[in-house]
Amino acid sequence: MLLSGGPRGRCTRWDPASSSSRCARGRESGGQELCCRLLCYEQSERLLQESLQMKMEEMSLSGLDNSKLEAIAHEIYTDLVEDACLGLCFEVHRAVKCGYFFLDDTDPDSMKDFEIVDQPGVDIFGQVYNQWKNKECVCPNCSRSIAASRFAPHLEKCLGMGRNSSRIANRRIASSNNMNKSESDQEDNDDINDNDWFYGSEKKAKKRKSDKNPNSPRRSKSLKHKNGELSSNSDPFKYSNSTGINYETLGPEELRTLLTTQCGVISEHTKKMCTRSLRCPQHTDEQRRTVRVYFLGPSAPLPEAEGSVENDSFDVAESQALMSRLQWDGSSDLSPSDSASSKTSTNNSESRKTKKKKPHLSLVGAAPGLSSNKKKKPKPPAPPTPSIYDDIN
Amino acid sequence: MNKDAQMRATINKKLIETGEQERLKELLRAKLIKCGWKDQLKAHCKNVIKEKGLEHITCSNFDDLVAEITPKGRALVPRLCEEGTFSKNKNFPCSVCQPLR
């Protein structure tokens, strides 16, 4: 109530039964001050201010009316409030009579059940927050204790079952295949492009044949007759689906055996020996000879009885000797930037096309011509190879 | 104070005639609901009824309930609502008083 507890301490409670005139009388004396106070509250409304101005004017006209006006206004207000209260009472009474007054209340039992829990370590529903965090399970496969939340994914990987683990394994196999391919010579890559069926996967092939059996008959031709040897010695050779062999782990006897059956030329990229046949077109006999000399000493039995031409250094004299062969097989090791083996293959193709060119031109032309030739996919030339041996012999 | 009473009567009459009474009533009701007065009072009602007993309320005089509720209701009206309505009330008497004078 506005007037209750005011500084004048006038009638504190409105009693609807009593006449309002009694209270109005008490207010007349301090009306002006009250008016001022009320004025402060009305600043937010323009209309009210206008009316107040009117009121002020009225005040100047007749002081009596002012307080009366206030009284009347207050009466009106009180009536309104009472009306509201009465309205509510009617509502409640009807609700009680009809029986729906307490319908929206919950019974005390449910209230207790769903009461908000306010204990430490527990959320408002009473559930423990990190109940499963601290628990550790022992994996039946690897006998390690794993955190509970990580247990399921760990099991999946541990047992090797589940969608993700198989996907990862496949990817790993494919990538290891790819790695070996990329590390091997560029000629190998060319050959990959040539002979898709040789190797299990291609770099760009979308359909990976990574699930191929490494010992399947479709594997590299050169490996067929070596299966007997290699399969037994797979571990020390670190075979693992690669075309090359890591020669560092081989003993001399093994090396010799290898070199008698395989090409054995060490690739510059992967530092591995070529496992293709002795007549593999990617490497020249010179290279094979070099390798054998390197490993087994100068007295090493060479793959072919080629002669005394040494290929360790690429002198001009040698190049001249080489040039004579250039016309049909075009081996050249002059430009060091490109790998010798790749040159060989590309020069093979070139020689086929430019047989009439002079040897030195073809040598020079080899380097720039390489890049263009690389993109082509020359098949391993069968006709030239017999010519090499013809020349030698 | 016949004059006062007369004045008051006239004002009331004018209020009802012009419909201002109704308008002010609705305004106040809306304000009270908005500020939560109604829910407060209803909760108070529930307490009263629980104390007195459901049957007692229905059987006994309605006025008892009113007598219980109304003072509390009046007390609960928030100051802001009160002032707003009060100030509005003042307009009317002014506008009424002028022509009367």
Side-chain angles (χ1 to χ4, degrees):
Chain A
M1 282 282 288
L2 196 63
L3 298 177
S4 65
R8 307 288 165 163
R10 265 162 275 121
C11 51
T12 50
R13 287 243 167 214
W14 274 117
D15 194 356
S18 70
S19 65
S20 47
S21 57
R22 189 167 28 99
C23 296
R25 234 179 286 135
R27 247 181 293 128
E28 271 176 58
S29 48
Q32 282 182 20
E33 188 189 329
L34 207 64
C35 177
C36 294
R37 206 205 294 171
L38 286 164
L39 278 170
C40 306
Y41 297 133
E42 290 156 11
Q43 275 165 13
S44 56
E45 291 177 274
R46 245 182 283 150
L47 279 170
L48 287 163
Q49 281 188 0
E50 285 174 13
S51 71
L52 278 165
Q53 278 174 10
M54 272 169 54
K55 202 172 183 181
M56 296 296 272
E57 288 164 15
E58 283 172 30
M59 269 167 69
S60 61
L61 289 171
S62 55
L64 274 169
D65 284 350
N66 177 39
S67 57
K68 277 184 189 164
L69 275 167
E70 264 191 43
I72 291 164
H74 198 81
E75 266 181 53
I76 296 169
Y77 167 75
T78 320
D79 283 339
L80 290 170
V81 171
E82 275 174 28
D83 216 46
C85 291
L86 205 69
L88 186 73
C89 286
F90 278 130
E91 256 183 67
V92 168
H93 189 259
R94 185 180 159 78
V96 167
K97 265 280 184 146
C98 294
Y100 62 79
F101 187 59
F102 287 110
L103 264 181
D104 52 353
D105 282 344
T106 45
D107 60 311
D109 291 335
S110 311
M111 292 285 277
K112 274 185 195 159
D113 282 342
F114 301 117
E115 218 174 352
I116 290 175
V117 180
D118 193 17
Q119 297 164 23
V122 165
D123 66 4
I124 62 169
F125 298 114
Q127 297 164 358
V128 186
Y129 168 59
N130 46 5
Q131 191 179 17
W132 309 109
K133 250 192 196 179
N134 302 330
K135 292 206 175 159
E136 291 198 343
C137 326
V138 179
C139 171
N141 209 29
C142 57
S143 312
R144 284 199 292 171
S145 81
I146 312 285
S149 54
R150 298 298 310 158
F151 189 53
H154 163 80
L155 254 191
E156 200 185 12
K157 296 207 174 73
C158 198
L159 293 170
M161 300 198 293
R163 224 190 301 162
N164 263 343
S165 47
S166 71
R167 211 183 290 155
I168 290 167
N170 282 341
R171 206 184 300 149
R172 219 179 288 147
I173 291 169
S175 66
S176 71
N177 267 344
N178 266 348
M179 234 174 38
N180 296 331
K181 300 297 174 291
S182 62
E183 284 174 358
S184 65
D185 293 339
Q186 290 166 8
E187 66 186 69
D188 285 348
N189 286 344
D190 288 344
D191 269 354
I192 288 171
N193 293 334
D194 271 346
N195 312 309
D196 289 349
W197 59 273
F198 266 143
Y199 307 105
S201 63
E202 276 183 14
K203 261 193 207 169
K204 297 173 187 174
K206 285 182 185 176
K207 296 178 189 175
R208 295 201 173 281
K209 299 176 188 173
S210 50
D211 295 332
K212 260 195 171 181
N213 187 8
N215 293 327
S216 71
R218 282 204 139 209
R219 278 276 168 209
S220 163
K221 239 193 329 193
S222 56
L223 304 176
K224 263 190 191 171
H225 55 274
K226 290 171 198 146
N227 267 344
E229 272 182 23
L230 293 177
S231 55
S232 55
N233 300 329
S234 58
D235 284 336
F237 290 4
K238 290 185 191 174
Y239 191 53
S240 72
N241 289 346
S242 64
T243 54
I245 289 180
N246 199 350
Y247 57 87
E248 290 158 6
T249 57
L250 301 178
E253 283 302 319
E254 292 163 354
L255 257 178
R256 199 166 293 140
T257 350
L258 259 175
L259 286 173
T260 49
T261 48
Q262 293 176 48
C263 168
V265 174
I266 296 165
S267 151
E268 288 165 21
H269 303 283
T270 65
K271 310 292 179 212
K272 288 187 182 174
M273 298 169 71
C274 175
T275 53
R276 306 186 76 176
S277 76
L278 283 169
R279 298 186 182 189
C280 116
Q282 289 171 358
H283 302 118
T284 61
D285 289 329
E286 311 295 338
Q287 293 169 312
R288 283 187 270 270
R289 200 179 304 139
T290 318
V291 165
R292 277 150 185 80
V293 162
Y294 174 67
F295 277 121
L296 310 169
S299 61
L302 300 166
E304 310 288 341
E306 285 177 280
S308 57
V309 180
E310 288 185 33
N311 278 334
D312 283 324
S313 58
F314 303 116
D315 298 337
V316 181
E318 263 199 16
S319 69
Q320 283 188 358
L322 287 171
M323 266 191 234
S324 60
R325 285 192 217 152
L326 267 175
Q327 284 174 348
W328 47 87
D329 71 340
S331 68
S332 71
D333 303 307
L334 284 184
S335 98
S337 57
D338 299 314
S339 74
S341 48
S342 62
K343 262 199 190 167
T344 320
S345 62
T346 54
N347 280 329
N348 278 339
S349 63
E350 211 191 37
S351 67
R352 264 184 281 141
K353 290 167 191 173
T354 62
K355 273 189 184 173
K356 289 183 183 174
K357 270 191 184 176
K358 290 185 183 174
H360 63 275
L361 276 178
S362 67
L363 267 175
V364 172
L370 266 174
S371 53
S372 59
N373 282 333
K374 269 183 192 176
K375 291 182 182 175
K376 294 177 189 168
K377 302 183 180 180
K379 298 207 168 174
T385 44
S387 65
I388 297 173
Y389 305 121
D390 287 341
D391 182 50
I392 295 163
N393 297 331
Chain B
M1 287 281 156
N2 275 343
K3 209 181 174 185
D4 281 342
Q6 214 179 15
M7 204 188 210
R8 227 173 279 118
T10 325
I11 287 174
N12 278 332
K13 197 173 107 187
K14 281 279 177 185
L15 264 175
I16 294 166
E17 275 176 9
T18 55
E20 192 68 17
Q21 173 97 322
E22 207 54 44
R23 194 181 73 87
L24 288 170
K25 223 188 258 186
E26 287 308 314
L27 211 68
L28 181 68
R29 214 170 279 165
K31 269 194 178 171
L32 289 173
I33 291 171
K34 194 173 172 184
C35 62
W37 170 90
K38 195 173 178 182
D39 298 322
Q40 275 181 298
L41 203 60
K42 214 170 186 180
H44 179 253
C45 287
K46 277 188 186 164
N47 292 335
V48 166
I49 290 167
K50 274 178 192 164
E51 280 173 30
K52 294 216 165 160
L54 208 66
E55 301 80 15
H56 182 75
I57 293 293
T58 54
C59 297
S60 67
N61 212 351
F62 174 68
D63 289 334
D64 290 347
L65 186 65
V66 172
E68 287 266 352
I69 301 298
T70 315
K72 183 80 196 255
R74 255 189 270 131
L76 277 175
V77 177
R79 198 171 173 81
L80 216 64
C81 272
E82 195 177 319
E83 287 159 14
T85 321
F86 191 58
S87 58
K88 280 193 172 66
N89 291 342
K90 283 180 114 203
N91 298 342
F92 193 80
C94 300
S95 57
V96 168
C97 282
Q98 284 248 312
L100 280 179
R101 232 174 274 121

